[in-house]
Amino acid sequence: MAVSISHSWETSVADSINSIYPIFSAYLVFVMQIGFAMLCAGSVRAKSTLNIMLTNVADAVIGAISYYLFGFAFAFGTAGAHSNPFIGTTFFALKDIPNESSYGYSYFLYQWAFAIAAAGIASGSIAERTQFGAYLIFSTFLTGFVYPVVVHWVWSSVGWLSPNSSTPLFGSGAIDFAGSGVVHLVGGVAGLWGSLIEGPRLGRFDVLSGKPFPIRGHNPTLVVLGTFLLWFGWFGFNPGSFTKILISYPDDAHEDGGNWTGVGRTAVTTMLAGSTGSLVTLFGRRMLVGHWDVMDSCNGLLAGLVSITSGCSVVEPSAAIICGLCSAWVLIGLNALAVRLGFDDPLEAAQLHGGCGAWGLIFTGLFAKEELVIQVYDSGKIGVTRPFGLLMGGGWGLIGAQLAELVAIVMWVSITIAPLFYFLHRMKLLRIPVDEELAGLDISCHGGYAYINHVQPEDNHHPEPLFSESDATYRSIQAEQHS
């Protein structure tokens, strides 16, 4: 009897800890929303600060309702033997949640924090020129439908890309542990289409020559604050994706015991990749432009964090340094390409989250370690084999699944989000009028400025005002809006 009571007590304690762990992880991930708000606010001009802050608030509150009503159902809804590998079909408005066999409220909260992060990514790409009503439509559609479908593919046990599926793709399934593809690539591709369809901000490129003019954010202090808050929250984003911490491995499979070792290792790989990305970007941009830039360093840090998010639990710390190093050059290269092509993304979100998210999927397919893959996805079972990183001797199965996820996400987001933005554009609901963009979204749409006694300074690369009614940029966009 004493042994039975003791065992029951230990089980109860373990269940309690495993239930609390995702709740606290959700709190950390939610802090990232504050980080997004600060980063976005500092990266735009002062005259658009209120607008970008409000879009971040809207992401959280709209995401809460849409994810509660149908997003979570599309992401994780299952129907036993008749489950759909493409989209979930149960748990609408959290019906039958919690239940003993699958999900509880803490898991829903954690997944909601992820969903609003995906929308926050795209808000930066279309900043300073988007009608707020159009943004509300986009945010609802992304968090309530587009993003949850991708979650179902990869993170649901019945998804066609899931490594936990009974018949995983290429015998492996895609390893996207915390969402380089599911979260960041989705947000990056969505932002890419929004920015392409809207076009660049007034003054970003000369209409006749195509010459770029830098439009720098107004507050580097907010950028640094937001970056550190995001980094802090990432320790819930990546290690928190274990969802259960007290999972033991067989004694002879791994001497250190269980998931708690994986949680620590994941935190370390996250830290190393972000730090390496920041340093390489800092020095790389120093060589290219001739000065040290704090904003470049912050974006390099985020690039490393985005890239490691897919494979953070299944790679060694040394591989995380390689991940961060390459992510910095992916970001630098894509930013240079964006300027050359006349693409304007105020926060570099499409390049950073889209490009580095794609690299993160490929990196996992190259460097995932067999022992760690088995620990994470088979709880350290003895005698289990799985495809692992190509460069680690694991064959083509895993890298094939990673590439399949990459292509599927790009195609899915493109066929859903691009038509939405195009429809809003054709209906003249997407971009704000020229005069309102020149004045700034804060005064034209939100009734005031973010700062007391605000006076908008001229951009420091233009001694004269950027536009007049005779300006070619002004006239071309005004003509398009009245056509």
Side-chain angles (χ1 to χ4, degrees), residues 197-210 425 428 431-435 437-438 466-483:
I197 292 172
E198 280 197 296
R201 291 167 293 174
L202 291 172
R204 181 67 179 91
F205 298 96
D206 183 84
V207 172
L208 300 178
S209 67
H425 170 69
K428 296 182 170 50
R431 185 160 181 156
I432 61 172
V434 172
D435 293 337
E437 184 175 346
L438 291 176
L466 276 173
F467 305 103
S468 67
E469 292 194 7
S470 63
D471 185 271
T473 305
Y474 180 99
R475 287 187 287 105
S476 65
I477 294 182
Q478 190 175 55
E480 179 184 351
Q481 290 181 341
H482 288 285
S483 65

Side-chain angles (χ1 to χ4, degrees), residues 379-454:
S379 298
K381 295 176 182 176
I382 301 173
V384 174
T385 59
R386 272 184 177 268
F388 52 102
L390 177 64
L391 298 183
M392 309 297 287
W396 293 91
L398 177 58
I399 188 67
Q402 301 299 103
L403 292 173
E405 180 188 348
L406 194 165
V407 172
I409 288 175
V410 172
M411 292 181 62
W412 169 248
V413 178
S414 296
I415 65 175
T416 52
I417 292 296
L420 173 66
F421 276 124
Y422 185 73
F423 171 77
L424 293 171
H425 170 69
R426 294 297 297 173
M427 297 299 293
K428 296 182 170 50
L429 299 173
L430 183 59
R431 185 160 181 156
I432 61 172
V434 172
D435 293 337
E436 294 185 10
E437 184 175 346
L438 291 176
L441 283 163
D442 288 1
I443 191 64
S444 62
C445 300
H446 304 290
Y449 290 112
Y451 303 101
I452 298 175
N453 299 324
H454 170 84

Side-chain angles (χ1 to χ4, degrees), residues 27 67 70 85 103 128 139 193 209 234 332 363 386 417 446:
Y27 299 160
Y67 208 69
F70 33 81
Y103 309 112
E128 298 203 84
S139 182
W193 281 110
S209 67
W234 233 291
I332 291 171
F363 162 78
R386 272 184 177 268
I417 292 296
H446 304 290

Side-chain angles (χ1 to χ4, degrees), residues 213-234:
F213 294 104
I215 301 178
R216 295 190 57 88
H218 81 283
N219 196 328
T221 303
L222 289 180
V223 172
V224 174
L225 174 62
T227 301
F228 274 112
L229 286 170
L230 286 169
W231 196 3
F232 177 67
W234 233 291

